[in-house]
Amino acid sequence: MTASRVLVLNSGSSSVKYQLLDMADRSRLAVGLVERIGEETSRLVHERLADTGAAGAAGAVGGKRERLGPIADHEAALKAVAAELAADGMGLDSPELAAVGHRVVHGGTRFTRPTVIDDEVLAEIRNLIPLAPLHNPANVTGIEVARSLRGDIPQVAVFDTAFHSTMPEYAARYAIDAATADKYSVRRYGFHGTSHAYVSRATAGLLGKTPGEVNVIVLHLGNGASASAVRGGVCVDTSMGLTPLEGLVMGTRSGDLDPAVIFHLARVGGLSVDEIDSLLNKKSGLLGMCGDNDMREVLRRAGEGDEAASLAFATYIHRLKKYIGAYTAVLGRVDAVAFTAGVGENAHQVREAALDGLAELGIVLDPEANAVRSPEPRLVSAEHSRVAVAVVPTDEELEIAAQAYELVTG
């Protein structure tokens, strides 16, 4: 029996998302979430998506099981996940499990491709914690626990930053003292890389071409949002930088701003570094401007004439248009603009507003096609549009599984 299954783990500070996939046919066997780890109100939701034919396997295909009650830590969480999978005949002891793929947010400049995790690699991921203090510690914990549970199979790290490591130095560098930048690893890394990789390739497929034949602007618009310029399947620029704060207006993050705003808030406002960090990451963006970070609520309020929501939406769209224009200039020729993630996939008003007035750049929407909501990848551009407009549901778990499986099977 050829091992073809990959368990994908995304370990957050108080949660674990997981999917079990069979890469023989790229199908999902099970998905789940453990949340509020460390609290009395912990919750595990598990869904079996395929019948594996295992004798005695519990649960119906498509049926969800929910477990409520305290889950003390990530070790307990992953053991609970293993128990749920085992109940479906898909436990971690299965000989069909080829690898465990871990989402790791920051790979720095060292990790530019999926990597089999050993002690040295794990130590290096720990060393990168100062660059991603909110994410890498949880990623490390998930890796440690998974290795303790199934250390005999490859554990593979897939890095959010890896896809953007192809940026040329002039795009990755900040124009500050070079020695200082090198000493403190200050440069642009970019994030959401697995999503940008998947969507750029899927967009090429929609056009009936290979990734190497097309130039794509990818707009990953969720609560966190980022843009990338992808030339022939290779990222040449992206909007996020040293951290996920730079770039587009987001749900709670400011995106681009004059760095002197920080000095001003410290000197004049008396805010501490931690207070400014919290302000820009957690209390800015749409939330800071109008009190809502859910685009659905912003659109509803703006539609009812709410001035704060209307201004927040206009600012969001203005920043998005600036990046589309900038990346059109960077790429020279654009074959497609692709929208993805929660807002990009579902908010037709955002797509319409962001591309309004861009006919001179060759970008023209089909209003009727754009208004249709669908879970399928699709083109929503007008027939005469020189640049295709695509809506592509992202699939970061499949991307992680594919990269991990390809690595371990050669």
Side-chain angles (χ1 to χ4, degrees):
M1 179 183 295
T2 301
S4 59
R5 295 177 182 174
V6 177
L7 176 63
V8 176
L9 295 177
N10 182 352
S11 298
S13 58
S14 61
S15 67
V16 174
K17 297 178 184 177
Y18 64 94
Q19 290 195 14
L20 180 67
L21 300 97
D22 191 333
M23 298 314 295
D25 57 5
R26 297 167 73 89
S27 63
R28 281 175 179 76
L29 304 179
V31 301
L33 166 68
V34 188
E35 58 185 350
R36 299 192 290 272
I37 295 172
E39 300 179 21
E40 291 297 314
T41 57
S42 303
R43 175 175 177 259
L44 187 157
V45 179
H46 174 88
E47 183 174 8
R48 178 183 178 185
L49 300 178
D51 185 357
T52 61
V61 172
K64 290 185 179 180
R65 300 197 297 270
E66 186 174 1
R67 166 181 162 180
L68 302 174
I71 296 177
D73 51 29
H74 281 72
E75 181 174 4
L78 285 179
K79 286 182 177 178
V81 169
E84 292 295 332
L85 291 169
D88 288 338
M90 300 181 283
L92 296 190
D93 59 350
S94 169
E96 296 178 71
L97 189 62
V100 179
H102 297 268
R103 180 201 180 205
V104 180
V105 167
H106 216 304
T109 55
R110 173 173 175 179
F111 298 113
T112 60
R113 55 180 58 87
T115 304
V116 174
I117 301 166
D118 57 19
D119 291 342
E120 180 186 353
V121 169
L122 186 57
E124 191 63 30
I125 294 173
R126 283 196 195 95
N127 290 338
L128 292 168
I129 284 175
L131 292 176
L134 298 179
H135 298 93
N136 271 33
N139 301 156
V140 166
T141 300
I143 291 168
E144 290 174 333
V145 174
R147 290 181 83 198
S148 72
L149 294 177
R150 192 71 203 271
D152 60 312
I153 63 170
Q155 308 277 329
V156 178
V158 178
F159 300 90
D160 272 14
T161 51
F163 182 65
H164 305 302
S165 66
T166 54
M167 284 191 293
E169 278 295 287
Y170 55 76
R173 284 279 185 171
Y174 291 112
I176 66 171
D177 173 68
T180 301
D182 291 341
K183 181 177 180 179
Y184 298 106
S185 301
V186 176
R187 60 186 289 118
R188 303 183 64 250
Y189 295 98
F191 300 89
H192 295 146
T194 52
S195 176
H196 286 276
Y198 176 85
V199 171
S200 60
R201 285 201 300 273
T203 301
L206 274 179
L207 300 180
K209 298 182 178 181
T210 66
E213 295 178 284
V214 300
N215 294 349
V216 184
I217 297 173
V218 178
L219 303 171
H220 177 108
L221 308 179
N223 192 50
S226 59
S228 67
V230 183
R231 178 184 292 128
V234 176
C235 178
V236 295
D237 204 351
T238 192
S239 58
M240 287 179 168
L242 174 73
T243 75
L245 180 59
E246 186 180 358
L248 302 175
V249 175
M250 304 177 222
T252 66
R253 300 178 198 143
S254 66
D256 294 337
L257 82 167
D258 181 349
V261 169
I262 297 169
F263 313 144
H264 178 79
L265 292 174
R267 291 169 180 158
V268 178
L271 276 67
S272 69
V273 170
D274 288 343
E275 287 173 327
I276 296 172
D277 187 309
S278 177
L279 171 70
L280 298 181
N281 277 291
K282 299 177 181 179
K283 303 174 184 176
S284 296
L286 295 174
L287 180 68
M289 293 191 73
C290 72
D292 269 310
N293 64 308
D294 187 320
M295 181 58 77
R296 291 167 295 190
E297 276 301 295
V298 174
L299 287 168
R300 182 190 65 78
R301 288 172 51 192
E304 294 174 354
D306 185 298
E307 291 185 5
S310 296
L311 177 58
F313 181 73
T315 304
Y316 181 99
I317 294 299
H318 179 70
R319 186 80 54 82
L320 195 50
K321 278 192 175 184
K322 285 173 66 175
Y323 271 90
I324 294 170
Y327 286 170
T328 297
V330 166
L331 291 171
R333 186 198 82 240
V334 178
D335 298 295
V337 176
F339 290 83
T340 193
V343 174
E345 294 168 26
N346 298 307
H348 67 90
Q349 304 95 322
V350 168
R351 299 191 296 266
E352 181 179 359
L355 302 182
D356 183 46
L358 300 187
E360 289 296 322
L361 298 181
I363 307 172
V364 184
L365 269 180
D366 178 332
E368 291 186 6
N370 183 55
V372 174
R373 190 164 179 172
S374 168
E376 298 300 320
R378 60 202 185 278
L379 296 178
V380 296
S381 40
E383 286 189 14
H384 63 279
S385 180
R386 188 172 75 248
V387 178
V389 180
V391 180
V392 180
T394 192
D395 198 332
E396 294 174 89
E397 290 79 12
L398 177 58
E399 180 69 20
I400 291 169
Q403 291 190 28
Y405 187 67
E406 183 178 358
L407 178 63
V408 302
T409 60

